[in-house]
Amino acid sequence: MNLIYEKFYIDGRWVQPETANRINVISASTEETIGQVPDGSEADIDAAVSAARRAFDDPSGWAHLDPVDRNAVLERFADEIESRSAETVQRVSAQNGMPVSVGAASEGTAPAVLLRYYVGLMAALPTEEVREGLFSGTTVIRREPIGVVAAIVPWNFPQSLTFMKLAPALAAGCTVVLKPSPETVLDAFLVAEAAEAAGMPPGVLNIVPGGREVGAHLVSHPGIDKVSFTGSTAAGRQVGEVCGRLLRPVTLELGGKSAAIVLDDAELAPDLGKFFAATMLNSGQTCYLGTRVLAPRSRYDEVVDLLAAMVASLKVGDALDPETQLGPLSSARQRDRVEAYIAKGLGDGARLVAGGGRPTGLDRGWFIEPTIFADVDNRSTIAQEEIFGPVLSVIPYANVDDAIAIANDSDYGLGGSVWSPDTDRAMAVARRVQTGTIGINSFDMDIGSPFGGVKASGMGRELGPEGLAANQVIKSIYRQY
């Protein structure tokens, strides 16, 4: 694979970038260059926002189309995205190290499903409702598109996260400027090609990849009406500060340090596949994972041994191998970060049970062994900070109240899970955990349900009707008798 792009997709056409700067795309599995695209500049962002602004403000444009006509374009867009799904999975996996077995669902299937879900939702929901006044008259409540949306996505699940933003925004009648992460740009150009093939009107979708400076310019741009950002908590705070000063609506889906609570009656052995997906999916580079495993003291050694056996059975290898369960980390910088956390865990006295180094026989690529720490204090660095790698901290607890207190003793609140054959008991625990989402005996996101975090894990919700509402403004029109 050696894909070269020379232009950006802006205003419905391919345009020459404003600078000669380039992004070299490196394979996480082989460390080889697999592509090159233009590196966006502030001038490119200006052009993209201007195009989106014109398209939104046009009185006969996207925002004012009959929903039936707008949905027809999005259905064609879904078809074009779906026809490129196999190539999308290959490009994503080659870039960020996601196993193709994971990418087939998240990156290959989810984008078209999301588009069709929001097309259906817009068709089913009325644009207006009439509400009787408490004293006299009636009020017409209108749901209108919020405007020009800046969508900024990270590298870990680039396509599913892109369409968690694009699908509801476009369905609502918004126009979008999308900034992909520089680590995963080749898949974004497939999105541009699909939009062009679907006959997306000029300016409705504009795509400019680039780094932090380009993203910062987009967030603060006066032509933007709403920002949707997925990324680290540190970056999210900066985005939130800018949007707060500008009184600009913002959705922030940020980091996590979630708890997987194993109750004393849990039967993990039959559910190890689901437990792996809820704690180590995509080499731990997944924001909602339960990387703090809370185990009862009465069964602590048993749980630790079971997790050690789980990681020992995993196939670590090239992301493009269908048999691979754990691919490389996304970059050399990311591997260095994870290795520093492993060293910190050892230095703080945690017991290394499995992994901790680089796997033998994989001399190329940014691989690291799946790692289990036992005897972890919840106040330690590896239990409090997001590592974003295949590292689990197993923390003992005395009773259910203690487990819930430990789970809630975190700056984050994004995901989590509770494991027990007694689902009523597990539900009672789940209700007490301070988090935006949590699973019972698994963690399976549902596109029809809201997703997002509390505390340092962000604000606002994506997916479900709530994700559509985040791209709309409410107008009340009062009518007196």
Side-chain angles (χ1 to χ4, degrees):
M1 183 185 297
N2 189 21
L3 301 168
I4 308 296
Y5 287 92
E6 302 290 347
K7 298 180 178 181
F8 292 132
Y9 183 71
I10 297 174
D11 206 14
R13 55 196 177 90
W14 296 93
V15 301
Q16 201 69 35
E18 292 294 331
T19 74
N21 297 335
R22 309 286 290 176
I23 296 172
N24 290 314
V25 185
I26 309 298
S27 164
S29 293
T30 68
E31 302 182 44
E32 296 174 348
T33 299
I34 56 174
Q36 190 182 80
V37 305
D39 191 359
S41 66
E42 292 186 1
D44 297 309
I45 290 292
D46 292 342
V49 174
S50 294
R53 186 82 263 163
R54 287 192 302 272
F56 184 79
D57 291 342
D58 182 351
S60 62
W62 187 251
H64 304 283
L65 283 182
D66 186 297
V68 173
D69 296 331
R70 193 163 59 226
N71 286 348
V73 176
L74 294 179
E75 286 283 8
R76 293 198 301 271
F77 189 29
D79 291 342
E80 294 293 340
I81 287 291
E82 193 169 54
S83 71
R84 293 164 172 79
S85 62
E87 177 65 14
T88 297
V89 173
Q90 291 291 308
R91 291 191 186 191
V92 170
S93 294
Q95 291 172 106
N96 70 2
M98 175 186 293
V100 290
S101 58
V102 175
S106 67
E107 309 304 281
T109 302
V113 171
L114 282 162
L115 281 168
R116 293 182 179 124
Y117 169 75
Y118 281 105
V119 164
L121 202 58
M122 276 300 295
L125 294 177
T127 302
E128 295 184 350
E129 66 170 282
V130 178
R131 190 174 300 175
E132 290 293 329
L134 292 178
F135 299 105
S136 66
T138 60
T139 301
V140 176
I141 313 298
R142 281 185 54 80
R143 293 168 179 81
E144 300 179 347
I146 202 167
V148 179
V149 175
I152 302 175
V153 298
W155 46 260
N156 58 330
F157 285 85
Q159 282 304 295
S160 53
L161 292 172
T162 287
F163 280 88
M164 284 169 64
K165 303 178 189 306
L166 285 192
L170 295 176
C174 301
T175 59
V176 179
V177 177
L178 170 67
K179 191 203 81 67
S181 169
E183 285 87 357
T184 46
V185 290
L186 299 178
D187 51 297
F189 281 80
L190 283 175
V191 176
E193 292 169 7
E196 182 181 40
M200 190 79 71
V204 172
L205 175 59
N206 311 271
I207 303 176
V208 180
R212 293 181 180 179
E213 295 79 10
V214 170
H217 184 65
L218 176 59
V219 166
S220 63
H221 200 288
I224 293 297
D225 297 305
K226 186 258 171 80
V227 174
S228 181
F229 174 86
T230 299
S232 71
T233 294
R237 291 187 193 279
Q238 296 174 348
V239 171
E241 286 174 6
V242 172
C243 291
R245 288 196 302 271
L246 296 173
L247 299 180
R248 178 167 294 167
V250 61
T251 299
L252 299 172
E253 196 270 279
L254 308 177
K257 194 68 183 179
S258 303
I261 304 174
V262 180
L263 297 184
D264 57 12
D265 60 353
E267 300 171 0
L268 284 189
D271 286 331
L272 276 185
K274 291 181 179 179
F275 197 84
F276 164 74
T279 57
M280 272 197 179
L281 185 73
N282 197 25
S283 296
Q285 298 171 130
T286 307
C287 53
Y288 59 71
L289 293 179
T291 53
R292 290 183 298 150
V293 179
L294 277 51
R297 292 190 185 279
S298 61
R299 297 183 59 193
Y300 187 78
D301 291 341
E302 175 192 347
V303 172
V304 170
D305 290 345
L306 193 63
L307 296 183
M310 178 186 78
V311 300
S313 71
L314 296 175
K315 177 174 172 50
V316 181
D318 191 316
L320 298 179
D321 182 346
E323 301 299 318
T324 291
Q325 296 169 281
L326 217 65
L329 299 185
S330 65
S331 65
R333 181 179 67 254
Q334 186 65 17
R335 183 172 63 179
D336 290 345
R337 168 189 168 89
V338 173
E339 288 179 330
Y341 273 110
I342 291 173
K344 179 64 175 173
L346 290 169
D348 286 346
R351 175 165 57 95
L352 183 65
V353 174
R358 300 181 182 184
T360 57
L362 293 171
D363 299 326
R364 301 174 68 191
W366 299 302
F367 292 94
I368 196 160
E369 293 174 323
T371 299
I372 305 293
F373 277 109
D375 304 333
V376 178
D377 188 314
N378 192 57
R379 295 166 294 181
S380 67
T381 299
I382 62 170
Q384 287 294 315
E385 296 185 11
E386 185 177 42
I387 298 174
F388 228 56
V391 180
L392 301 185
S393 297
V394 191
I395 301 169
Y397 69 84
N399 52 45
V400 169
D401 288 342
D402 187 35
I404 293 167
I406 293 170
N408 292 338
D409 183 16
S410 172
D411 290 337
Y412 297 100
L414 183 58
S417 54
V418 185
W419 301 81
S420 169
D422 185 341
T423 56
D424 289 339
R425 184 183 182 214
M427 281 291 295
V429 172
R431 290 188 177 101
R432 296 174 62 190
V433 178
Q434 297 166 0
T435 185
T437 65
I438 192 166
I440 305 298
N441 296 321
S442 68
F443 190 98
D444 295 318
M445 289 175 61
D446 177 7
I447 66 169
S449 304
F451 175 76
V454 299
K455 299 190 282 188
S457 289
M459 56 191 292
R461 292 296 181 266
E462 296 181 305
L463 299 179
E466 293 79 4
L468 180 66
N471 291 280
Q472 295 174 316
V473 290
I474 305 297
K475 177 189 289 183
S476 293
I477 305 174
Y478 306 118
R479 300 191 300 189
Q480 297 298 315
Y481 289 136

